[in-house]
Short mmCIF file of all heavy atoms in Angstrom, two decimals:
data_model
loop_
_atom_site.label_atom_id
_atom_site.label_comp_id
_atom_site.label_asym_id
_atom_site.label_seq_id
_atom_site.Cartn_x
_atom_site.Cartn_y
_atom_site.Cartn_z
N TYR A 43 65.59 122.05 133.03
CA TYR A 43 64.77 122.62 134.11
C TYR A 43 63.51 121.78 134.32
O TYR A 43 63.11 121.51 135.46
CB TYR A 43 64.39 124.06 133.79
CG TYR A 43 63.54 124.68 134.86
CD1 TYR A 43 64.10 125.07 136.08
CD2 TYR A 43 62.16 124.86 134.70
CE1 TYR A 43 63.32 125.62 137.09
CE2 TYR A 43 61.37 125.41 135.69
CZ TYR A 43 61.97 125.79 136.89
OH TYR A 43 61.19 126.31 137.89
N ALA A 44 62.91 121.35 133.22
CA ALA A 44 61.69 120.55 133.33
C ALA A 44 61.98 119.21 134.00
O ALA A 44 61.19 118.74 134.83
CB ALA A 44 61.07 120.34 131.95
N TYR A 45 63.11 118.58 133.64
CA TYR A 45 63.50 117.34 134.33
C TYR A 45 63.66 117.60 135.83
O TYR A 45 63.19 116.83 136.67
CB TYR A 45 64.82 116.80 133.77
CG TYR A 45 64.77 116.22 132.37
CD1 TYR A 45 65.80 116.43 131.46
CD2 TYR A 45 63.70 115.41 131.96
CE1 TYR A 45 65.78 115.88 130.19
CE2 TYR A 45 63.68 114.87 130.69
CZ TYR A 45 64.71 115.11 129.81
OH TYR A 45 64.69 114.56 128.55
N TRP A 46 64.37 118.67 136.16
CA TRP A 46 64.62 119.00 137.57
C TRP A 46 63.32 119.30 138.30
O TRP A 46 63.09 118.81 139.41
CB TRP A 46 65.57 120.19 137.65
CG TRP A 46 65.81 120.67 139.04
CD1 TRP A 46 66.66 120.14 139.95
CD2 TRP A 46 65.17 121.79 139.67
NE1 TRP A 46 66.61 120.85 141.13
CE2 TRP A 46 65.70 121.87 140.99
CE3 TRP A 46 64.22 122.72 139.27
CZ2 TRP A 46 65.29 122.86 141.89
CZ3 TRP A 46 63.81 123.70 140.16
CH2 TRP A 46 64.34 123.77 141.46
N LYS A 47 62.46 120.08 137.67
CA LYS A 47 61.18 120.45 138.29
C LYS A 47 60.34 119.21 138.56
O LYS A 47 59.62 119.12 139.56
CB LYS A 47 60.44 121.41 137.35
CG LYS A 47 59.13 121.96 137.90
CD LYS A 47 59.37 122.99 138.98
CE LYS A 47 58.05 123.65 139.39
NZ LYS A 47 58.24 124.54 140.57
N ASN A 48 60.47 118.23 137.68
CA ASN A 48 59.68 116.99 137.80
C ASN A 48 60.37 115.95 138.68
O ASN A 48 59.82 114.87 138.92
CB ASN A 48 59.44 116.41 136.39
CG ASN A 48 58.39 115.33 136.38
OD1 ASN A 48 57.35 115.45 137.04
ND2 ASN A 48 58.66 114.26 135.65
N GLY A 49 61.60 116.24 139.12
CA GLY A 49 62.33 115.30 139.96
C GLY A 49 62.88 114.11 139.22
O GLY A 49 63.19 113.07 139.83
N THR A 50 63.05 114.22 137.89
CA THR A 50 63.54 113.09 137.09
C THR A 50 64.92 113.34 136.52
O THR A 50 65.39 112.58 135.66
CB THR A 50 62.56 112.80 135.92
OG1 THR A 50 62.42 113.99 135.13
CG2 THR A 50 61.19 112.40 136.45
N HIS A 51 65.60 114.39 136.95
CA HIS A 51 66.86 114.79 136.32
C HIS A 51 68.01 113.84 136.61
O HIS A 51 69.02 113.84 135.90
CB HIS A 51 67.26 116.21 136.76
CG HIS A 51 67.43 116.36 138.24
ND1 HIS A 51 66.38 116.28 139.11
CD2 HIS A 51 68.55 116.58 139.00
CE1 HIS A 51 66.83 116.46 140.35
NE2 HIS A 51 68.14 116.64 140.31
N GLU A 52 67.88 112.99 137.62
CA GLU A 52 68.96 112.06 137.94
C GLU A 52 68.70 110.64 137.44
O GLU A 52 69.47 109.71 137.77
CB GLU A 52 69.21 112.06 139.45
CG GLU A 52 69.77 113.39 139.97
CD GLU A 52 70.17 113.32 141.42
OE1 GLU A 52 69.77 112.36 142.10
OE2 GLU A 52 70.88 114.23 141.87
N ARG A 53 67.66 110.45 136.68
CA ARG A 53 67.40 109.11 136.13
C ARG A 53 68.57 108.68 135.24
O ARG A 53 69.06 109.46 134.41
CB ARG A 53 66.12 109.11 135.29
CG ARG A 53 64.87 109.46 136.05
CD ARG A 53 63.71 109.67 135.11
NE ARG A 53 63.23 108.42 134.53
CZ ARG A 53 62.31 108.37 133.55
NH1 ARG A 53 61.80 109.49 133.05
NH2 ARG A 53 61.92 107.20 133.08
N PRO A 54 69.07 107.46 135.39
CA PRO A 54 70.18 107.00 134.54
C PRO A 54 69.71 106.85 133.09
O PRO A 54 68.66 106.26 132.83
CB PRO A 54 70.57 105.66 135.14
CG PRO A 54 69.37 105.20 135.89
CD PRO A 54 68.68 106.43 136.38
N ALA A 55 70.47 107.39 132.17
CA ALA A 55 70.09 107.38 130.76
C ALA A 55 71.30 107.11 129.89
O ALA A 55 72.45 107.27 130.31
CB ALA A 55 69.47 108.73 130.38
N ALA A 56 71.03 106.66 128.68
CA ALA A 56 72.09 106.44 127.69
C ALA A 56 71.65 107.02 126.36
O ALA A 56 70.50 106.81 125.93
CB ALA A 56 72.40 104.95 127.55
N PHE A 57 72.54 107.76 125.73
CA PHE A 57 72.29 108.35 124.41
C PHE A 57 73.34 107.85 123.43
O PHE A 57 74.52 107.70 123.79
CB PHE A 57 72.38 109.88 124.48
CG PHE A 57 71.16 110.56 125.03
CD1 PHE A 57 70.90 110.57 126.39
CD2 PHE A 57 70.27 111.22 124.19
CE1 PHE A 57 69.78 111.21 126.90
CE2 PHE A 57 69.16 111.87 124.69
CZ PHE A 57 68.90 111.87 126.05
N ASP A 58 72.92 107.60 122.20
CA ASP A 58 73.84 107.27 121.10
C ASP A 58 74.01 108.49 120.21
O ASP A 58 73.03 109.14 119.85
CB ASP A 58 73.28 106.13 120.23
CG ASP A 58 73.44 104.76 120.87
OD1 ASP A 58 74.17 104.65 121.87
OD2 ASP A 58 72.83 103.80 120.35
N LEU A 59 75.27 108.79 119.84
CA LEU A 59 75.55 109.79 118.81
C LEU A 59 75.95 109.03 117.56
O LEU A 59 76.92 108.26 117.58
CB LEU A 59 76.67 110.72 119.27
CG LEU A 59 76.91 111.98 118.42
CD1 LEU A 59 77.54 113.09 119.27
CD2 LEU A 59 77.78 111.71 117.20
N LEU A 60 75.20 109.22 116.47
CA LEU A 60 75.41 108.45 115.25
C LEU A 60 75.02 109.27 114.04
O LEU A 60 74.48 110.37 114.17
CB LEU A 60 74.57 107.17 115.28
CG LEU A 60 73.05 107.37 115.27
CD1 LEU A 60 72.37 106.30 114.43
CD2 LEU A 60 72.48 107.35 116.68
N PHE A 61 75.30 108.75 112.87
CA PHE A 61 74.83 109.37 111.63
C PHE A 61 74.13 108.30 110.81
O PHE A 61 74.31 107.10 111.04
CB PHE A 61 75.98 110.01 110.84
CG PHE A 61 77.02 109.04 110.36
CD1 PHE A 61 77.03 108.59 109.05
CD2 PHE A 61 78.01 108.58 111.21
CE1 PHE A 61 77.98 107.68 108.61
CE2 PHE A 61 78.98 107.68 110.78
CZ PHE A 61 78.96 107.23 109.48
N ARG A 62 73.30 108.74 109.86
CA ARG A 62 72.44 107.80 109.15
C ARG A 62 72.88 107.52 107.71
O ARG A 62 72.42 106.55 107.11
CB ARG A 62 71.00 108.35 109.12
CG ARG A 62 70.38 108.51 110.51
CD ARG A 62 68.94 108.95 110.37
NE ARG A 62 68.27 109.05 111.65
CZ ARG A 62 67.80 110.19 112.16
NH1 ARG A 62 67.95 111.31 111.49
NH2 ARG A 62 67.20 110.20 113.33
N LYS A 63 73.74 108.39 107.15
CA LYS A 63 74.12 108.20 105.75
C LYS A 63 75.52 108.75 105.53
O LYS A 63 75.87 109.82 106.02
CB LYS A 63 73.13 108.93 104.83
CG LYS A 63 73.33 108.65 103.35
CD LYS A 63 72.24 109.32 102.52
CE LYS A 63 72.41 109.00 101.03
NZ LYS A 63 71.38 109.65 100.21
N ASN A 64 76.34 107.99 104.77
CA ASN A 64 77.69 108.46 104.46
C ASN A 64 77.64 109.70 103.57
O ASN A 64 76.76 109.82 102.71
CB ASN A 64 78.47 107.36 103.74
CG ASN A 64 78.84 106.21 104.64
OD1 ASN A 64 79.46 106.40 105.69
ND2 ASN A 64 78.46 105.00 104.26
N PRO A 65 78.59 110.61 103.73
CA PRO A 65 78.57 111.85 102.93
C PRO A 65 79.21 111.68 101.56
O PRO A 65 79.88 110.69 101.28
CB PRO A 65 79.39 112.81 103.79
CG PRO A 65 80.39 111.90 104.48
CD PRO A 65 79.64 110.62 104.75
N PHE A 66 79.01 112.68 100.72
CA PHE A 66 79.66 112.82 99.42
C PHE A 66 79.35 111.66 98.47
O PHE A 66 80.19 111.28 97.65
CB PHE A 66 81.18 112.97 99.57
CG PHE A 66 81.60 113.99 100.59
CD1 PHE A 66 82.29 113.63 101.73
CD2 PHE A 66 81.27 115.32 100.42
CE1 PHE A 66 82.67 114.56 102.68
CE2 PHE A 66 81.63 116.27 101.37
CZ PHE A 66 82.34 115.89 102.50
N ALA A 67 78.15 111.08 98.61
CA ALA A 67 77.73 109.96 97.77
C ALA A 67 78.71 108.79 97.87
O ALA A 67 78.87 108.00 96.94
CB ALA A 67 77.59 110.39 96.30
N GLY A 68 79.38 108.69 99.01
CA GLY A 68 80.36 107.62 99.21
C GLY A 68 79.82 106.54 100.13
O GLY A 68 78.65 106.54 100.51
N GLU A 69 80.68 105.62 100.51
CA GLU A 69 80.27 104.49 101.35
C GLU A 69 81.16 104.34 102.58
O GLU A 69 81.25 103.26 103.15
CB GLU A 69 80.27 103.20 100.52
CG GLU A 69 79.12 103.10 99.54
CD GLU A 69 77.74 103.10 100.21
OE1 GLU A 69 77.64 102.74 101.40
OE2 GLU A 69 76.76 103.49 99.55
N PHE A 70 81.81 105.44 102.98
CA PHE A 70 82.56 105.39 104.23
C PHE A 70 82.64 106.79 104.81
O PHE A 70 82.45 107.80 104.12
CB PHE A 70 83.97 104.82 104.02
CG PHE A 70 84.94 105.79 103.38
CD1 PHE A 70 85.81 106.56 104.15
CD2 PHE A 70 84.99 105.93 102.00
CE1 PHE A 70 86.69 107.45 103.56
CE2 PHE A 70 85.88 106.81 101.39
CZ PHE A 70 86.73 107.57 102.19
N THR A 71 82.93 106.85 106.10
CA THR A 71 83.11 108.10 106.83
C THR A 71 84.30 107.94 107.76
O THR A 71 84.59 106.84 108.22
CB THR A 71 81.84 108.44 107.65
OG1 THR A 71 80.72 108.53 106.75
CG2 THR A 71 81.97 109.75 108.41
N VAL A 72 85.01 109.03 108.02
CA VAL A 72 86.11 109.03 108.98
C VAL A 72 85.64 109.76 110.24
O VAL A 72 85.20 110.91 110.16
CB VAL A 72 87.37 109.70 108.40
CG1 VAL A 72 88.46 109.81 109.46
CG2 VAL A 72 87.88 108.94 107.19
N PHE A 73 85.72 109.09 111.37
CA PHE A 73 85.27 109.67 112.63
C PHE A 73 86.34 110.62 113.18
O PHE A 73 87.50 110.25 113.33
CB PHE A 73 85.00 108.55 113.64
CG PHE A 73 84.69 109.02 115.04
CD1 PHE A 73 83.92 110.15 115.28
CD2 PHE A 73 85.17 108.31 116.13
CE1 PHE A 73 83.64 110.57 116.56
CE2 PHE A 73 84.90 108.72 117.43
CZ PHE A 73 84.13 109.86 117.64
N ALA A 74 85.92 111.85 113.48
CA ALA A 74 86.84 112.83 114.05
C ALA A 74 86.09 113.68 115.07
O ALA A 74 84.86 113.75 115.06
CB ALA A 74 87.44 113.71 112.96
N GLY A 75 86.85 114.32 115.94
CA GLY A 75 86.26 115.19 116.95
C GLY A 75 86.25 114.61 118.35
O GLY A 75 85.77 115.26 119.29
N LEU A 76 86.78 113.41 118.52
CA LEU A 76 86.72 112.76 119.84
C LEU A 76 87.59 113.49 120.87
O LEU A 76 87.17 113.71 122.01
CB LEU A 76 87.16 111.31 119.74
CG LEU A 76 87.17 110.52 121.06
CD1 LEU A 76 85.79 110.49 121.68
CD2 LEU A 76 87.69 109.10 120.84
N GLU A 77 88.79 113.88 120.48
CA GLU A 77 89.66 114.56 121.44
C GLU A 77 89.00 115.83 121.96
O GLU A 77 88.98 116.09 123.17
CB GLU A 77 91.02 114.90 120.82
CG GLU A 77 91.94 115.59 121.82
CD GLU A 77 93.26 116.06 121.24
OE1 GLU A 77 93.48 115.86 120.03
OE2 GLU A 77 94.06 116.65 121.99
N GLU A 78 88.45 116.64 121.05
CA GLU A 78 87.81 117.88 121.49
C GLU A 78 86.57 117.58 122.34
O GLU A 78 86.27 118.32 123.29
CB GLU A 78 87.42 118.72 120.28
CG GLU A 78 88.59 119.37 119.57
CD GLU A 78 89.33 120.38 120.44
OE1 GLU A 78 88.71 121.37 120.88
OE2 GLU A 78 90.53 120.16 120.71
N SER A 79 85.86 116.51 122.03
CA SER A 79 84.70 116.12 122.84
C SER A 79 85.12 115.77 124.26
O SER A 79 84.46 116.16 125.23
CB SER A 79 83.97 114.93 122.19
OG SER A 79 83.43 115.28 120.94
N LEU A 80 86.22 115.04 124.39
CA LEU A 80 86.71 114.66 125.72
C LEU A 80 87.26 115.87 126.47
O LEU A 80 87.15 115.96 127.71
CB LEU A 80 87.76 113.57 125.60
CG LEU A 80 87.23 112.22 125.10
CD1 LEU A 80 88.37 111.22 124.95
CD2 LEU A 80 86.15 111.66 126.01
N ARG A 81 87.86 116.80 125.76
CA ARG A 81 88.29 118.04 126.40
C ARG A 81 87.08 118.80 126.96
O ARG A 81 87.13 119.33 128.08
CB ARG A 81 89.04 118.92 125.40
CG ARG A 81 90.46 118.47 125.07
CD ARG A 81 91.04 119.29 123.93
NE ARG A 81 92.42 118.93 123.63
CZ ARG A 81 93.47 119.73 123.84
NH1 ARG A 81 93.28 120.92 124.39
NH2 ARG A 81 94.68 119.34 123.52
N PHE A 82 86.02 118.86 126.16
CA PHE A 82 84.80 119.55 126.60
C PHE A 82 84.21 118.86 127.84
O PHE A 82 83.88 119.52 128.83
CB PHE A 82 83.79 119.57 125.46
CG PHE A 82 82.41 119.98 125.88
CD1 PHE A 82 82.14 121.28 126.28
CD2 PHE A 82 81.38 119.05 125.89
CE1 PHE A 82 80.86 121.66 126.68
CE2 PHE A 82 80.10 119.42 126.29
CZ PHE A 82 79.84 120.72 126.69
N ILE A 83 84.06 117.55 127.77
CA ILE A 83 83.49 116.80 128.90
C ILE A 83 84.35 116.97 130.15
O ILE A 83 83.85 117.16 131.26
CB ILE A 83 83.35 115.31 128.51
CG1 ILE A 83 82.22 115.15 127.48
CG2 ILE A 83 83.08 114.45 129.73
CD1 ILE A 83 82.15 113.76 126.87
N SER A 84 85.65 116.93 129.96
CA SER A 84 86.57 117.02 131.09
C SER A 84 86.49 118.37 131.79
O SER A 84 86.73 118.46 133.00
CB SER A 84 88.01 116.77 130.60
OG SER A 84 88.90 116.62 131.68
N ASN A 85 86.14 119.42 131.06
CA ASN A 85 86.14 120.77 131.62
C ASN A 85 84.75 121.39 131.72
O ASN A 85 84.63 122.59 131.95
CB ASN A 85 87.04 121.67 130.75
CG ASN A 85 88.50 121.26 130.81
OD1 ASN A 85 89.23 121.65 131.72
ND2 ASN A 85 88.94 120.46 129.84
N PHE A 86 83.71 120.57 131.54
CA PHE A 86 82.33 121.10 131.55
C PHE A 86 82.01 121.70 132.92
O PHE A 86 82.12 121.05 133.95
CB PHE A 86 81.35 119.98 131.22
CG PHE A 86 79.91 120.42 131.25
CD1 PHE A 86 79.35 121.08 130.17
CD2 PHE A 86 79.13 120.18 132.38
CE1 PHE A 86 78.03 121.48 130.20
CE2 PHE A 86 77.81 120.59 132.41
CZ PHE A 86 77.26 121.24 131.32
N LYS A 87 81.59 122.97 132.89
CA LYS A 87 81.23 123.67 134.13
C LYS A 87 80.54 124.98 133.78
O LYS A 87 80.95 125.68 132.86
CB LYS A 87 82.48 123.95 134.96
CG LYS A 87 82.21 124.70 136.27
CD LYS A 87 83.50 124.91 137.03
CE LYS A 87 83.28 125.74 138.29
NZ LYS A 87 82.32 125.11 139.22
N PHE A 88 79.46 125.30 134.50
CA PHE A 88 78.81 126.60 134.37
C PHE A 88 79.53 127.60 135.27
O PHE A 88 79.64 127.37 136.49
CB PHE A 88 77.34 126.52 134.77
CG PHE A 88 76.46 125.85 133.75
CD1 PHE A 88 76.13 124.50 133.89
CD2 PHE A 88 75.98 126.54 132.65
CE1 PHE A 88 75.32 123.87 132.96
CE2 PHE A 88 75.17 125.92 131.72
CZ PHE A 88 74.84 124.58 131.87
N THR A 89 80.02 128.68 134.70
CA THR A 89 80.68 129.72 135.50
C THR A 89 79.64 130.67 136.08
O THR A 89 78.46 130.64 135.70
CB THR A 89 81.65 130.52 134.63
OG1 THR A 89 80.90 131.25 133.64
CG2 THR A 89 82.66 129.61 133.93
N GLU A 90 80.08 131.52 136.97
CA GLU A 90 79.19 132.53 137.55
C GLU A 90 78.62 133.43 136.44
O GLU A 90 77.45 133.81 136.47
CB GLU A 90 79.94 133.38 138.58
CG GLU A 90 80.33 132.63 139.84
CD GLU A 90 79.13 132.36 140.75
OE1 GLU A 90 78.05 132.94 140.51
OE2 GLU A 90 79.29 131.57 141.70
N GLU A 91 79.46 133.76 135.46
CA GLU A 91 79.00 134.60 134.35
C GLU A 91 77.95 133.88 133.51
O GLU A 91 76.98 134.50 133.05
CB GLU A 91 80.19 135.00 133.47
CG GLU A 91 81.19 135.94 134.12
CD GLU A 91 82.12 135.23 135.08
OE1 GLU A 91 82.13 133.95 135.11
OE2 GLU A 91 82.85 135.92 135.81
N ASP A 92 78.14 132.56 133.31
CA ASP A 92 77.14 131.78 132.58
C ASP A 92 75.80 131.81 133.29
O ASP A 92 74.76 132.03 132.67
CB ASP A 92 77.59 130.31 132.47
CG ASP A 92 78.87 130.13 131.66
OD1 ASP A 92 79.18 131.01 130.84
OD2 ASP A 92 79.54 129.10 131.87
N ILE A 93 75.82 131.60 134.62
CA ILE A 93 74.59 131.57 135.40
C ILE A 93 73.91 132.92 135.37
O ILE A 93 72.68 133.02 135.22
CB ILE A 93 74.89 131.14 136.85
CG1 ILE A 93 75.53 129.74 136.88
CG2 ILE A 93 73.62 131.18 137.69
CD1 ILE A 93 74.67 128.64 136.35
N GLU A 94 74.70 134.00 135.50
CA GLU A 94 74.12 135.35 135.50
C GLU A 94 73.44 135.65 134.16
O GLU A 94 72.36 136.24 134.11
CB GLU A 94 75.21 136.38 135.78
CG GLU A 94 74.71 137.79 136.00
CD GLU A 94 73.76 137.90 137.18
OE1 GLU A 94 73.86 137.07 138.12
OE2 GLU A 94 72.90 138.80 137.17
N TYR A 95 74.08 135.22 133.08
CA TYR A 95 73.47 135.41 131.76
C TYR A 95 72.14 134.66 131.67
O TYR A 95 71.13 135.20 131.21
CB TYR A 95 74.42 134.91 130.67
CG TYR A 95 73.75 134.76 129.32
CD1 TYR A 95 73.47 135.86 128.52
CD2 TYR A 95 73.35 133.50 128.86
CE1 TYR A 95 72.84 135.73 127.30
CE2 TYR A 95 72.72 133.35 127.65
CZ TYR A 95 72.46 134.47 126.87
OH TYR A 95 71.82 134.33 125.66
N LEU A 96 72.12 133.40 132.11
CA LEU A 96 70.90 132.60 132.04
C LEU A 96 69.78 133.21 132.87
O LEU A 96 68.61 133.26 132.43
CB LEU A 96 71.17 131.17 132.52
CG LEU A 96 71.92 130.25 131.56
CD1 LEU A 96 72.28 128.94 132.24
CD2 LEU A 96 71.09 129.99 130.30
N ARG A 97 70.10 133.68 134.07
CA ARG A 97 69.07 134.25 134.94
C ARG A 97 68.32 135.39 134.26
O ARG A 97 67.12 135.58 134.51
CB ARG A 97 69.72 134.80 136.22
CG ARG A 97 70.17 133.77 137.23
CD ARG A 97 70.72 134.50 138.44
NE ARG A 97 71.42 133.63 139.37
CZ ARG A 97 70.83 132.94 140.33
NH1 ARG A 97 69.51 133.02 140.48
NH2 ARG A 97 71.53 132.18 141.14
N ASN A 98 69.00 136.13 133.42
CA ASN A 98 68.42 137.33 132.83
C ASN A 98 67.79 137.10 131.47
O ASN A 98 67.29 138.06 130.85
CB ASN A 98 69.48 138.42 132.72
CG ASN A 98 69.91 138.92 134.09
OD1 ASN A 98 69.09 139.42 134.86
ND2 ASN A 98 71.19 138.76 134.41
N GLU A 99 67.82 135.87 130.98
CA GLU A 99 67.18 135.57 129.71
C GLU A 99 65.68 135.35 129.91
O GLU A 99 65.27 134.72 130.89
CB GLU A 99 67.80 134.32 129.08
CG GLU A 99 69.10 134.59 128.35
CD GLU A 99 68.92 135.59 127.23
OE1 GLU A 99 68.23 135.27 126.24
OE2 GLU A 99 69.44 136.71 127.34
N PRO A 100 64.83 135.86 129.00
CA PRO A 100 63.38 135.68 129.15
C PRO A 100 62.96 134.23 129.33
O PRO A 100 62.04 133.94 130.09
CB PRO A 100 62.83 136.27 127.84
CG PRO A 100 63.85 137.27 127.41
CD PRO A 100 65.16 136.71 127.83
N VAL A 101 63.66 133.29 128.66
CA VAL A 101 63.27 131.89 128.75
C VAL A 101 63.45 131.35 130.16
O VAL A 101 62.84 130.34 130.54
CB VAL A 101 64.07 131.05 127.73
CG1 VAL A 101 65.53 130.93 128.17
CG2 VAL A 101 63.46 129.68 127.53
N ALA A 102 64.28 132.03 130.97
CA ALA A 102 64.58 131.53 132.31
C ALA A 102 63.87 132.30 133.41
O ALA A 102 64.10 132.03 134.60
CB ALA A 102 66.09 131.59 132.54
N LYS A 103 63.01 133.23 133.06
CA LYS A 103 62.38 134.07 134.07
C LYS A 103 61.57 133.26 135.08
O LYS A 103 61.47 133.62 136.25
CB LYS A 103 61.48 135.11 133.39
CG LYS A 103 62.23 136.20 132.63
CD LYS A 103 63.12 137.02 133.56
CE LYS A 103 63.80 138.15 132.80
NZ LYS A 103 64.74 138.89 133.68
N SER A 104 60.97 132.16 134.64
CA SER A 104 60.14 131.36 135.55
C SER A 104 60.93 130.29 136.30
O SER A 104 60.36 129.57 137.11
CB SER A 104 59.00 130.69 134.77
OG SER A 104 59.53 129.78 133.82
N MET A 105 62.23 130.19 136.02
CA MET A 105 63.04 129.15 136.65
C MET A 105 63.37 129.53 138.10
O MET A 105 63.72 130.68 138.38
CB MET A 105 64.33 128.91 135.85
CG MET A 105 64.09 128.34 134.48
SD MET A 105 65.64 128.06 133.57
CE MET A 105 65.00 127.45 131.99
N GLU A 106 63.29 128.56 138.97
CA GLU A 106 63.51 128.81 140.40
C GLU A 106 65.00 128.97 140.70
O GLU A 106 65.85 128.34 140.07
CB GLU A 106 62.94 127.65 141.21
CG GLU A 106 61.43 127.49 141.04
CD GLU A 106 60.91 126.26 141.77
OE1 GLU A 106 61.61 125.77 142.69
OE2 GLU A 106 59.83 125.79 141.40
N PRO A 107 65.34 129.80 141.71
CA PRO A 107 66.75 130.02 142.06
C PRO A 107 67.50 128.74 142.38
O PRO A 107 68.70 128.63 142.08
CB PRO A 107 66.66 130.93 143.29
CG PRO A 107 65.35 131.64 143.13
CD PRO A 107 64.43 130.66 142.48
N ALA A 108 66.84 127.76 142.97
CA ALA A 108 67.52 126.53 143.34
C ALA A 108 68.07 125.80 142.12
O ALA A 108 69.08 125.08 142.21
CB ALA A 108 66.58 125.61 144.11
N PHE A 109 67.41 125.96 140.98
CA PHE A 109 67.89 125.32 139.75
C PHE A 109 69.24 125.90 139.34
O PHE A 109 70.16 125.16 138.96
CB PHE A 109 66.87 125.49 138.62
CG PHE A 109 67.34 124.98 137.29
CD1 PHE A 109 67.51 123.63 137.07
CD2 PHE A 109 67.62 125.86 136.25
CE1 PHE A 109 67.95 123.16 135.84
CE2 PHE A 109 68.05 125.40 135.02
CZ PHE A 109 68.22 124.04 134.81
N PHE A 110 69.39 127.20 139.45
CA PHE A 110 70.65 127.83 139.08
C PHE A 110 71.77 127.44 140.05
O PHE A 110 72.93 127.30 139.66
CB PHE A 110 70.49 129.35 139.03
CG PHE A 110 69.54 129.81 137.95
CD1 PHE A 110 68.29 130.31 138.27
CD2 PHE A 110 69.89 129.71 136.62
CE1 PHE A 110 67.41 130.71 137.29
CE2 PHE A 110 69.02 130.11 135.62
CZ PHE A 110 67.77 130.61 135.96
N GLU A 111 71.41 127.25 141.30
CA GLU A 111 72.40 126.78 142.27
C GLU A 111 72.86 125.37 141.90
O GLU A 111 74.04 125.04 142.06
CB GLU A 111 71.81 126.80 143.68
CG GLU A 111 71.53 128.20 144.22
CD GLU A 111 72.76 129.09 144.20
OE1 GLU A 111 73.83 128.63 144.68
OE2 GLU A 111 72.66 130.23 143.70
#
Side-chain angles (χ1 to χ4, degrees):
Y43 180 74
Y45 289 141
W46 176 80
K47 184 73 173 173
N48 193 42
T50 57
H51 59 292
E52 293 187 346
R53 298 170 72 188
F57 281 77
D58 282 349
L59 191 154
L60 65 143
F61 63 100
R62 298 184 177 116
K63 188 176 182 181
N64 289 305
F66 311 116
E69 287 298 336
F70 76 96
T71 301
V72 175
F73 173 39
L76 179 60
E77 181 185 0
E78 288 296 300
S79 296
L80 293 177
R81 285 172 177 248
F82 167 69
I83 289 171
S84 190
N85 294 276
F86 178 81
K87 179 179 176 60
F88 286 98
T89 66
E90 291 286 349
E91 292 78 9
D92 296 337
I93 300 298
E94 189 60 27
Y95 166 77
L96 284 172
R97 286 183 191 274
N98 292 300
E99 278 301 293
V101 71
K103 290 298 183 184
S104 63
M105 294 181 182
E106 298 175 20
F109 174 69
F110 295 108
E111 293 304 312

